[in-house]
Amino acid sequence: MRVVAKARRAHGAGRLRVTARARALRVRGGWEPADALRAGLLDPRLPAAEAARFASPRAARELARALNPEELMPLVRDRALFARFAPALGLPVPRLAGLLGRAGGWSAVTGRPVADRDDALLFVAQELPDRVVLLPSPGRDGGRALRREGTGFVDVGGGGRALSPAQLVDELWAGAHDLFVAHEDPGPGTALRVTTFAGLGGDVRAVHAGILGPGGAFADVDVDSGTIGPARTPRLDGAGSRPARGLGEGTVVARWRDAVAVARDCATRLLPRRALMWDMTLVDGRGPLVLGADGDLGPWPSPAFGDALRAMGEGA
Amino acid sequence: MRPGAALAELASLWRVSGRAAAGYGEPRLRAARRARRMRVEGAWTYEEALAEGILDPALPDDVRRRHRSKHAREEIQKRFGPYRLDALTEEKLTFYRYCEALGIPVPALYGTVGDAGTWSAATGRLARGAEAFARLVNDELPPAFVVKPVDGYLGWSVHALERDGGLLREADGRALSPEDLHAELVADPEFGLFLVQERLYNHPALERLRASPTLQSLRMVTLMGRDGVPRLMAAWLKVTLAGGARDNYEGGTSGNGMIEIDPAAGRMRRLVFPREDGVGTVQTTTVPGTGAPLAGEPTPLFDDARRLVLDAAPHFLPIRSLGWDVALTPDGARLIETNNFWGHAGLPMNPELVEALARP
């Protein structure tokens, strides 16, 4: 009921219409009402046919389950596993500094274990690069970008808060996640999410792409041309998104062909997983870098993504 | 403890103490006291303690204390790295591809087969149905190959196959068509995806110990020091005394045995296998059947195998404690798998391993 009330407030719609839309989406598309609200689908002004094009998280998960054997999912769910695996296979990933966690870690710099808090302090103080990103593993939560300053770090995304190595380790140890991937911060770049699909012939192609911007802004990217579509950004009330600017609508993503080639190459190496969503970054002066792979086909709130998923399902 | 569980525990103690008393020829009460002490002090289940041989009254206490129950062992192993990363070792497609990429010698990967279809590693093609699997077998695979679960354990559902005319012959002699094998695989109640890979054979020197078409692997336990240097802490050779396609000891329930090896010198010490009555183990320093001596004999390819696991261990950090299965083949040592929850049933841990595990 809270979801319906929120949708009514956000979209100025009547209870009956919002409830009917939520119910239709649930029955036909597997949408949880809260997810439908977040995707903006409870707005009755959005034509029902258009709303039906979006893919619910459940539909995406079900398709992923049909295309990716469950036994092979850990690698594309767990960032620490992927961080260990990807460089060995030569996938273009940011330089790994190590793994850091309560139950033990490892320094890619020295090759030694980071076995306890004392080791962790040493690792943080002496072996982390000057600009580093810490990503919880497993999980989809965002990373924590830090910049070395003096003997400690500045939490770039955390309002510039200064942290000593001991404070950083204590904060990591006290959190919900027990393992973190530490890699160099490749610097500002274009954040892309490319979904690949392997056909029965083993041919891998990009079937959807999107670009991400500050504040959660996003836009579809035409996979053939690399042209950026209209941008949207999440509404502050959490009821869908609104039009936005600044992602370069109508322009072509720089080095788009390279990005698609990298995603396809990575996906080929991860066969027989057939459907994967790749987080990538395009940094000036470097080739496309792969930040991670998602075998659950995390949601992307656009009808184009839903169309791509349905096409994958039909081609399966 | 709930009354039902307490009763079951008591019944187990009654059964085990009765078998131990009969097996070792001592009063039941004394056997029961020893079993209870092992339960309390070492978290042994009564059946596990019985099969391990630690209820033997003749066993010196200092040796008994160096045996570890499965529960106690796993609690220790959890302290040697984030065990959640075990997919790097337990999900075998990732494991083999990782090893291949690092140049670690492993069996060649031919593809996968399961509910989701058949995948050929050579062509990248995916296809559905029994015919697709038969095409992979007939068109792409060599005359011998292995099919095993991607997430298997203890050798369950492993098929070691050789082509025989239009059929495939299992290690136990059973013949079946590729289509029949496919039907068995997709109907497997536990495993949904199988690897198809190169079949390895035993080094001729192993035939002297036990002539067997089944691969008999060398188990090597390494611990990674805080200094980043891996050390070989224990080794034993699995011996397929029970026949069949598996060489696992499985706490003495499989009927197979193992030859304890001095990890420093690579020389054999003794063969251990379960007693016929399931009460503890038999230990001998000669090969059953032939009477050939074992003690002090060199283990074939031991140095190659040691180098292989010590080179591989750093690539699996932050997991610091690993039990490797190495195939000793005519072409050299090849890595079959590694486990972060490695077993150590049937043998006491050597003192160096006990000490190292106490200080993670």
Side-chain angles (χ1 to χ4, degrees):
Chain A
M1 291 308 286
R2 268 206 308 264
V3 170
V4 172
K6 262 188 168 181
R8 287 181 61 203
R9 270 199 306 277
H11 304 303
R15 178 188 301 272
L16 206 59
R17 293 185 70 195
V18 170
T19 306
R21 168 64 65 86
R23 174 142 184 80
L25 287 168
R26 183 164 199 156
V27 171
R28 289 182 207 138
W31 283 94
E32 291 299 323
D35 291 330
L37 174 74
R38 258 193 302 279
L41 306 185
L42 299 187
D43 182 353
R45 285 169 302 185
L46 182 74
E50 186 70 358
R53 287 178 59 203
F54 286 70
S56 69
R58 187 169 131 193
R61 273 197 308 273
E62 281 176 3
L63 180 68
R65 260 203 295 274
L67 295 172
N68 299 328
E70 182 59 31
E71 293 85 350
L72 304 182
M73 291 301 278
L75 181 65
V76 286
R77 279 192 184 134
D78 193 311
R79 286 166 163 161
L81 266 183
F82 187 79
R84 215 50 178 106
F85 182 84
L89 264 78
L91 307 188
V93 290
R95 192 166 53 83
L96 185 63
L99 303 175
L100 186 61
R102 282 192 293 264
W106 157 74
S107 165
V109 180
T110 63
R112 289 166 62 156
V114 180
D116 58 18
R117 190 174 180 280
D118 288 344
D119 284 356
L121 281 176
L122 199 70
F123 172 68
V124 166
Q126 297 183 6
E127 293 160 28
L128 285 184
D130 290 345
R131 289 174 178 274
V132 64
V133 176
L134 295 170
L135 289 160
S137 176
R140 291 178 171 179
D141 295 351
R144 188 168 179 179
L146 302 165
R147 190 182 69 239
R148 195 180 281 282
E149 202 165 280
T151 57
F153 291 88
V154 170
D155 193 340
V156 178
R161 195 162 60 96
L163 285 164
S164 70
Q167 282 173 317
L168 177 58
V169 169
D170 289 342
E171 282 188 16
L172 295 177
W173 261 227
H177 297 284
D178 63 358
L179 192 61
F180 293 84
V181 175
H183 65 68
E184 61 153 345
D185 185 346
T190 305
L192 287 176
R193 198 164 282 178
V194 179
T195 303
T196 55
F197 171 65
L200 288 174
D203 54 308
V204 175
R205 61 184 194 276
V207 292
H208 177 265
I211 185 170
L212 292 158
F218 62 95
D220 289 324
V221 174
D222 180 80
V223 286
D224 294 323
S225 65
T227 306
I228 300 168
R232 299 189 69 82
T233 194
R235 287 168 50 142
L236 291 175
D237 60 7
S241 57
R242 57 180 170 75
R245 302 175 67 176
L247 286 184
E249 180 179 351
T251 63
V252 173
V253 175
R255 297 195 305 286
W256 174 245
R257 299 277 163 224
D258 293 346
V260 170
V262 164
R264 288 181 57 203
D265 179 49
C266 292
T268 304
R269 290 163 189 256
L270 264 56
L271 284 170
R273 301 166 188 88
R274 298 181 62 193
L276 295 168
M277 186 180 256
W278 298 92
D279 268 326
M280 306 175 74
T281 183
L282 297 167
V283 183
D284 285 346
R286 295 177 72 170
L289 293 174
V290 174
L291 302 175
D294 177 9
D296 289 314
L297 303 175
W300 180 270
S302 82
F305 181 67
D307 293 343
L309 254 53
R310 271 183 293 283
M312 280 196 273
E314 286 157 14
Chain B
M1 190 184 284
R2 286 178 305 176
L7 272 176
E9 181 101 349
L10 203 58
S12 172
L13 178 59
W14 177 256
R15 268 194 317 273
V16 164
S17 58
R19 290 179 65 193
Y24 297 123
E26 69 164 350
R28 182 177 214 149
L29 187 61
R30 201 173 294 168
R33 276 198 189 127
R34 190 173 297 111
R36 184 70 195 144
R37 183 156 63 88
M38 292 295 98
R39 176 99 184 100
V40 171
E41 291 177 4
W44 292 88
T45 67
Y46 297 123
E47 284 77 8
E48 189 187 9
L50 182 72
E52 182 78 3
I54 56 167
L55 301 186
D56 183 349
L59 192 69
D61 259 354
D62 67 311
V63 177
R64 186 179 285 117
R65 275 197 296 271
R66 286 193 280 116
H67 285 261
R68 289 287 177 279
S69 68
K70 184 170 187 280
H71 176 83
R73 203 174 54 240
E74 290 186 355
E75 287 303 307
I76 294 168
Q77 287 162 342
K78 284 178 189 172
R79 290 153 56 196
F80 279 81
Y83 61 93
R84 204 171 38 66
L85 276 185
D86 64 359
L88 194 58
T89 60
E90 304 299 323
E91 192 269 85
K92 293 182 177 63
L93 181 66
T94 294
F95 170 76
Y96 286 119
R97 298 198 112 182
Y98 184 60
C99 289
E100 268 177 4
L102 294 166
I104 298 169
V106 288
L109 175 69
Y110 301 139
T112 61
V113 57
D115 305 332
T118 297
W119 168 68
S120 159
T123 65
R125 286 205 187 95
L126 300 137
R128 292 241 164 83
E131 297 76 20
F133 178 66
R135 268 200 306 279
L136 176 80
V137 169
N138 295 325
D139 300 347
E140 294 182 35
L141 298 189
F145 57 94
V146 166
V147 177
K148 66 183 190 184
V150 161
D151 52 350
Y153 54 93
L154 296 176
W156 292 111
S157 295
V158 172
H159 302 260
L161 300 150
E162 279 183 10
R163 221 197 300 269
D164 184 358
L167 297 175
L168 299 170
R169 196 166 291 284
E170 296 260 21
D172 62 5
R174 189 169 64 105
L176 72 177
S177 68
E179 288 83 357
D180 290 341
L181 175 62
H182 181 269
E184 279 188 22
L185 297 174
V186 297
D188 191 293
E190 182 165 9
F191 303 111
L193 187 68
F194 295 79
L195 285 179
V196 186
Q197 65 174 185
E198 180 184 4
R199 181 169 177 184
L200 303 179
Y201 292 93
N202 292 316
H203 189 279
L206 293 179
E207 300 291 307
R208 186 184 70 85
L209 299 170
R210 177 76 181 174
S212 168
T214 303
L215 197 64
Q216 304 179 98
S217 60
L218 179 64
R219 167 58 62 89
M220 303 182 110
V221 173
T222 59
L223 290 185
M224 178 64 73
R226 299 279 291 265
D227 55 1
V229 177
R231 292 170 180 86
L232 179 63
M233 304 302 298
W236 60 91
L237 190 62
K238 301 179 185 181
V239 186
T240 56
L241 298 176
R246 298 181 294 136
D247 64 357
N248 300 74
Y249 185 72
E250 288 178 47
T253 59
S254 68
N256 289 327
M258 50 198 168
I259 296 171
E260 187 185 20
I261 293 165
D262 173 357
R267 294 189 177 271
M268 300 182 193
R269 285 176 174 152
R270 57 186 170 157
L271 170 67
V272 178
F273 57 92
R275 278 170 47 155
E276 272 187 22
D277 60 3
V279 179
T281 56
V282 176
Q283 304 186 10
T284 173
T285 53
T286 57
V287 179
T290 68
L294 275 174
E297 288 295 305
T299 309
L301 300 174
F302 190 82
D303 289 342
D304 285 2
R306 176 167 47 198
R307 197 174 314 118
L308 192 165
V309 299
L310 293 180
D311 286 350
H315 297 293
F316 290 85
L317 279 171
I319 303 169
R320 296 170 53 213
S321 137
L322 287 163
W324 309 82
D325 284 343
V326 181
L328 307 175
T329 80
D331 301 321
R334 308 270 285 277
L335 185 57
I336 307 173
E337 64 178 56
T338 187
N339 307 275
N340 50 351
F341 287 114
W342 40 270
H344 201 292
L347 292 170
M349 291 186 176
N350 63 55
E352 296 77 20
L353 180 56
V354 170
E355 194 186 334
L357 289 175
R359 291 183 288 110

